[in-house]
């Protein structure tokens, strides 16, 4: 369960990409929320660097993602080994290399899907939901902005010390600092909202 939970948590966090907008409009939490709610779809690439206390060198992975509000998240890790993950509101399918797909649902693992919904609320710009779970600190930084989320109570504060988002017109980086000392840093590149609709192949990924 812990492994599945972490995969869901990281994947959803990796998908927390804001929509394009005018930088001057992002001056506070309300204007950031408005920007996050503009576009129903985004595609891009990611690089994840995970620093674990038990390893001297960080674990680095790269891949691409697609997030569509109605369907969910398509997360495709390309290196160091292929992983295909599809997350909807109530189901998760995960495939490692050529192994058979693993599918779980919200009924089987409610805690994992609790965390996934929390992080999806970040993408949707649902500040009311976030403020019930986190202390939010927004700060403009020259041409960029930063949003720090500090969990208020369990189970979030038993896992995360803080979640930090930084961006310009989009979220450019995300850092998850865990209570036990591990840190995950994700950077996002080549972000686009085109095409505006899912392709047939992308739609097929969500059919399971």
């Amino acid at each position: 369960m812990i492994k599945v939970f972490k995969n869901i948590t990281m994947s959803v966090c990796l998908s927390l990409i804001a929509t394009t907008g005018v930088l001057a409009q992002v001056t506070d939490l309300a204007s950031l929320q408005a920007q996050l709610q503009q576009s129903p779809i985004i595609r891009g690439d990611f690089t994840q660097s995970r620093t674990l206390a038990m390893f001297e060198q960080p674990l680095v992975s790269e891949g691409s993602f697609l997030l569509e509000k109605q369907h969910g998240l398509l997360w495709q890790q390309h290196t160091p080994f292929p992983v295909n993950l599809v997350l909807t509101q109530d189901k998760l399918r995960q495939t490692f290399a050529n192994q058979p797909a693993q599918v779980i649902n919200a009924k089987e693992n409610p805690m994992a899907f609790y965390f996934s919904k929390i992080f999806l609320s970040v993408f949707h710009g649902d500040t009311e939901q976030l403020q019930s779970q986190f202390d939010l600190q927004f700060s403009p930084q020259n041409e960029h902005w930063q949003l720090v989320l500090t969990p208020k109570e369990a189970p979030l504060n038993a896992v995360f010390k803080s979640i930090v988002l930084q961006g310009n017109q989009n979220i450019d980086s995300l850092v998850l600092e865990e209570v036990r000392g591990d840190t995950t840093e994700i950077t996002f590149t080549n972000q686009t909202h085109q095409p505006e609709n899912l392709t047939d192949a992308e739609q097929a990924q969500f059919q399971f």
Side-chain angles (χ1 to χ4, degrees):
M1 172 179 171
I2 296 298
K3 182 177 181 181
V4 172
F5 155 70
K6 284 189 173 294
N7 285 334
I8 291 175
T9 302
M10 295 302 148
S11 299
V12 174
C13 287
L14 289 169
S15 72
L16 301 182
I17 309 300
T19 60
T20 54
V22 179
L23 177 60
Q25 295 178 341
V26 182
T27 57
D28 55 22
L29 192 60
S31 58
L32 179 60
Q33 172 181 328
Q35 177 168 310
L36 290 170
Q37 293 178 338
Q38 286 181 11
S39 178
I41 193 169
I42 188 164
R43 299 171 173 84
D45 299 323
F46 72 85
T47 299
Q48 174 180 302
S49 178
R50 183 159 170 76
T51 302
L52 305 177
M54 65 182 68
F55 296 108
E56 293 185 1
Q57 299 296 324
L59 306 177
V60 180
S61 60
E62 297 180 336
S64 60
F65 70 90
L66 160 71
L67 186 64
E68 204 274 342
K69 283 188 178 180
Q70 297 301 317
H71 290 80
L73 169 69
L74 171 60
W75 173 254
Q76 295 178 304
Q77 176 180 300
H78 305 315
T79 61
F81 52 85
V83 178
N84 182 286
L85 184 144
V86 183
L87 176 66
T88 70
Q89 287 292 332
D90 59 0
K91 290 188 296 184
L92 168 72
R93 186 187 70 211
Q94 188 169 237
T95 308
F96 291 91
N98 297 319
Q99 299 179 14
Q102 301 175 358
V103 179
I104 64 170
N105 58 45
K107 184 177 181 180
E108 295 170 338
N109 200 327
M111 182 58 68
F113 281 86
Y114 163 79
F115 277 87
S116 72
K117 288 181 179 180
I118 291 296
F119 286 106
L120 281 174
S121 69
V122 178
F123 167 71
H124 292 306
D126 187 351
T127 55
E128 182 177 351
Q129 172 67 27
L130 290 176
Q131 287 175 333
S132 69
Q133 303 289 338
F134 298 92
D135 289 321
L136 307 183
Q137 181 180 358
F138 177 88
S139 58
Q141 300 178 341
N142 297 323
E143 295 182 353
H144 295 77
W145 51 263
Q146 176 176 279
L147 179 62
V148 179
L149 290 77
T150 304
K152 291 181 178 180
E153 56 189 22
L156 286 169
N157 66 359
V159 179
F160 297 108
K161 182 177 179 181
S162 66
I163 301 172
V164 180
L165 312 176
Q166 292 184 324
N168 185 312
Q169 293 186 358
N170 304 295
I171 292 180
D172 298 323
S173 68
L174 185 150
V175 178
L176 300 103
E177 185 176 353
E178 298 181 30
V179 172
R180 65 181 184 180
D182 297 343
T183 303
T184 301
E185 181 175 357
I186 309 114
T187 56
F188 305 101
T189 57
N190 301 322
Q191 302 169 56
T192 179
H193 306 286
Q194 302 297 327
E196 295 182 351
N197 298 311
L198 295 176
T199 67
D200 290 343
E202 290 168 346
Q203 289 183 347
Q205 289 273 11
F206 291 100
Q207 303 303 313
F208 66 97

